[in-house]
Amino acid sequence: MRYLYSAMTRKEKHENCDVLVSGGGVPGLTLAALLGPLGLRVTVIDPHPPQPLSAIRPEGRTAALMAGSVNILKSTGAWDQCAKYGAALETLAIVEQGSRHTKPVRADFRAGDAGLPCFGVNIPNSTLRAAMAERCAGIRGVELLSGAVESFTADDFGITAALNDGTAIRARLLVGADGRNSKVRESCGIDVWERAYGQKAITCLIRHSRSHSNISTEFHRPGGPFTMVPMPGHVSSIVWVEYDDDADAFMKLRRQDFEQALQDRTEGCLGTVHLETMPEAWPLKALRAESLIAPRIALMAEAAHVVHPLGAQGLNLSLRDAATLAEEVADAARNGLDI
């Protein structure tokens, strides 16, 4: 039996692997780093390869990695390489601001009270991705390619993918880790449930005069949460959620006026603040694929699900995807089954 998704027209080069991962973000690279040492041949393809770790510059998008995610990254061997770029989250402070007529209510949750050194570690996305790519480059059997999957054809014994440079790759499993606009998912005809929140997340790094004391502070406001997450030194990452029109208006402010808006929302708890990186804005939505599999295909990370940034579960959920899929593939390979 054959499952034809789209026709292959270019076959200039031919390569073989066990697992072909479409998408070289942190989740896809993590999957490769988990499978490669098991003797499986893994190819990761992405149209925008990460920069070397030494070339990474500060950016506003960071990931608050919980303990489970840190353990997954430790198991890949990449954690020690990038941990120094992160800051521990020792206390989570939630401030319910409500309306202007009510007094704010604050609750602090300390990791030490639960017998933990910290709840997690906040680290820049670009740094984490670069560290994972360097780890993968050092694993025998893992190959990183620049490009994109154009089409693929599945049968009972494997799947053949055609890349945009004419390369044909034969694999036993194709993993769609190519993000919320996944071409792999679309080509399979897998429907998605989507919901737009009508909000945008503004992200940036700020430098402040007072220490954050490793406290992540989240203000709950009518337009959405405003969160200050520790980074090394007197730097914090900002995740500021507003309704679309309000977010657009803030993004149009002059630098000085934008810094004043930040100053107002920090409630002075970090002293004087200044922009360390220029702000960026990202539309927010929820997405869930109606199926996570198709013949010879598995979806993971944002190709499978997208969640609101409240609670910082996005990348943490994606890393659990990588660990779970790696475990399933490893069990099948260990038992001599078709992965």
Side-chain angles (χ1 to χ4, degrees):
M1 182 181 296
R2 296 177 64 81
Y3 308 94
L4 183 62
Y5 295 100
S6 53
M8 291 177 56
T9 59
R10 296 176 291 178
K11 296 184 179 180
E12 299 172 6
K13 296 183 288 183
H14 297 264
E15 298 183 13
N16 293 293
C17 62
D18 294 303
V19 181
L20 173 60
V21 182
S22 177
V26 173
L29 292 169
T30 299
L31 178 66
L34 291 171
L35 293 177
L38 304 180
L40 293 167
R41 296 166 300 167
V42 184
T43 298
V44 181
I45 179 149
D46 193 274
H48 306 290
Q51 293 180 298
L53 189 57
S54 59
I56 296 297
R57 296 293 177 263
E59 65 157 18
R61 298 194 75 178
T62 64
L65 301 174
M66 301 298 105
S69 296
V70 170
N71 288 335
I72 292 170
L73 295 173
K74 285 181 177 178
S75 68
T76 69
W79 180 247
D80 289 344
Q81 192 175 18
C82 56
K84 63 183 179 181
Y85 297 98
L89 309 180
E90 297 175 0
T91 300
L92 304 181
I94 308 296
V95 182
E96 179 60 57
Q97 289 190 310
S99 70
R100 60 182 180 179
H101 304 295
T102 59
K103 183 178 179 180
V105 178
R106 174 172 174 144
D108 286 11
F109 302 88
R110 298 174 179 83
D113 293 342
L116 301 172
C118 64
F119 288 112
V121 178
N122 191 41
I123 189 168
N125 289 26
S126 57
T127 299
L128 186 57
R129 184 177 181 231
M132 290 305 308
E134 290 193 6
R135 171 59 185 147
C136 286
I139 299 175
R140 183 179 180 182
V142 175
E143 184 178 19
L144 308 179
L145 297 180
S146 175
V149 173
E150 287 285 323
S151 59
F152 41 85
T153 306
D155 55 53
D156 286 340
F157 305 101
I159 189 165
T160 304
L163 307 188
N164 58 345
D165 65 353
T167 302
I169 298 181
R170 180 71 173 173
R172 291 196 283 167
L173 176 68
L174 170 61
V175 176
D178 49 345
R180 61 185 62 192
N181 298 316
S182 171
K183 185 169 184 179
V184 172
R185 185 189 66 224
E186 180 184 358
S187 298
C188 293
I190 296 176
D191 292 330
V192 296
W193 169 87
E194 292 184 82
R195 175 188 173 187
Y197 287 107
Q199 296 171 305
K200 290 180 180 177
I202 301 172
T203 60
C204 60
L205 296 182
I206 60 170
R207 183 169 294 276
H208 36 83
S209 59
R210 294 181 188 170
S211 172
H212 50 55
S213 301
N214 293 99
I215 300 173
S216 177
T217 304
E218 185 171 284
F219 293 97
H220 287 192
R221 303 170 56 253
F226 177 90
T227 309
M228 304 173 292
V229 194
M231 291 292 291
H234 280 219
V235 175
S236 294
S237 63
I238 297 296
V239 182
W240 175 5
V241 177
E242 289 282 359
Y243 294 119
D244 287 339
D245 291 345
D246 293 333
D248 292 342
F250 282 116
M251 289 295 294
K252 293 176 182 177
L253 292 177
R254 296 178 302 172
R255 178 178 183 135
Q256 181 179 355
D257 294 331
F258 189 89
E259 287 182 331
Q260 184 58 54
L262 286 171
Q263 186 73 60
D264 293 342
R265 278 153 185 78
T266 62
E267 299 283 335
C269 63
L270 294 177
T272 304
V273 305
H274 296 286
L275 281 170
E276 184 79 353
T277 65
M278 294 306 294
E280 299 177 272
W282 314 88
L284 300 181
K285 71 175 181 179
L287 178 149
R288 183 180 67 249
E290 296 296 339
S291 174
L292 300 182
I293 61 171
R296 296 282 165 186
I297 295 197
L299 301 180
M300 62 173 285
E302 289 201 341
H305 44 69
V306 176
V307 297
H308 195 281
L310 181 66
Q313 284 305 299
L315 185 56
N316 288 283
L317 180 57
S318 295
L319 290 174
R320 290 199 294 274
D321 285 358
T324 300
L325 183 55
E327 185 177 355
E328 292 295 321
V329 171
D331 284 347
R334 195 176 296 117
N335 290 300
L337 302 176
D338 185 352
I339 65 171

